[in-house]
Amino acid sequence: MFALIDGNNFYISCERAFNPRLKGRAVVVLSNNDGCVISRSEEAKTLVKMGQPYYQLQEQLRKGSVTAISANFALYGDMSARMMRLAAALGPQQEIYSIDESFIGGLEGVTQLTKRAWAIRERIERSLGIPCCIGIAPSKTLAKMCNHWAKQAERQGNAERSAWAQVCNWQELFTAQQHALLSATPAGDVWGIGKRMAQRLALANCHCAWELSQLPGPRARRIGGVVLERTVRELQGTSCITLDNAPAAKQQIASTRSFGQVIEQLDPLL
């Protein structure tokens, strides 16, 4: 059994933890040098696109409909470390997947798992001011999908789906509910399925996660090799992807250049 704990709008939540006046407002966090939007509050998602350049927001900033904040990565890193320490209490094994996501493994023998997950979620929000959602399932791929639907149910306020808002445990869903979530998940949104693979699956009349989970192993292998077959098995509830307890060694070296002063004209860049 696996759980995926994911901080909601993480950069925004970190900023709001230290500036409560930002709560309820449309807020965006900007990249290095205030180049573009890299995080949005729920209120800002209908107003601003992810990756939208900062200069395109001037009218909204002038009207006060959106508040823009320069990124504070030192703060986000510190808050992430604190969140991961609290998240680790859910189970015996942990894989820190990203700055705001953590897989917890070895949950097979944990009693009252959903209740424990709720307690961990409340502890994180109470201690750090960071709301999060938790997906629990027999495989990492299903845990990722459950986490997604836990967030969607919270955002939409759908009474039918409120049972899995914030914390979604795959094994506590009825078979019809599991089928509904798989059918509502586009194949391209499944963890590990990229844009090109989604196009290949569409040609094979496989458009959603439910249809993907029903692919026979040999056919999945012909379409996408052993990687796709592994994803199919994961959607069926068979764990094929283990936790990565240690980060992989970096495989690249980068050499970057920048100007020593602010550049305001085009000529020096040519």
Side-chain angles (χ1 to χ4, degrees), residues 11 20 26 65 87 93 112 115 123 135 162 168 173 180 204 217 237:
Y11 293 172
S65 58
Q93 302 170 347
Q112 297 183 315
K115 182 178 180 181
R123 185 182 303 172
S162 61
C168 179
L173 300 178

Side-chain angles (χ1 to χ4, degrees), residues 2 11 21 37 54 70 87 110 129 132 162 193 202 228 262:
F2 299 90
Y11 293 172
R21 291 178 298 177
V37 174
Y54 175 54
S70 298
V110 178
C132 62
S162 61
I193 301 295
L228 182 62
V262 176

Side-chain angles (χ1 to χ4, degrees), residues 171-185:
Q171 292 191 319
E172 293 184 354
L173 300 178
F174 296 115
T175 301
Q177 292 174 324
Q178 294 177 347
H179 186 186
L181 292 189
L182 288 168
S183 298
T185 304

Side-chain angles (χ1 to χ4, degrees), residues 118-132:
W118 273 106
I120 294 296
R121 183 194 180 278
E122 292 170 2
R123 185 182 303 172
I124 292 173
E125 186 165 12
R126 182 176 64 253
S127 301
L128 303 176
I130 298 178
C132 62

Side-chain angles (χ1 to χ4, degrees), residues 10-18 72-86 99-100 124-125 127-130:
F10 185 71
Y11 293 172
I12 301 294
S13 296
C14 290
E15 295 289 348
R16 284 176 168 174
F18 290 89
N72 185 345
F73 292 112
L75 169 66
Y76 309 149
D78 180 72
M79 294 289 280
S80 173
R82 294 169 185 262
M83 174 180 161
M84 298 311 170
R85 284 196 293 269
L86 294 174
I99 194 170
D100 62 344
I124 292 173
E125 186 165 12
S127 301
L128 303 176
I130 298 178

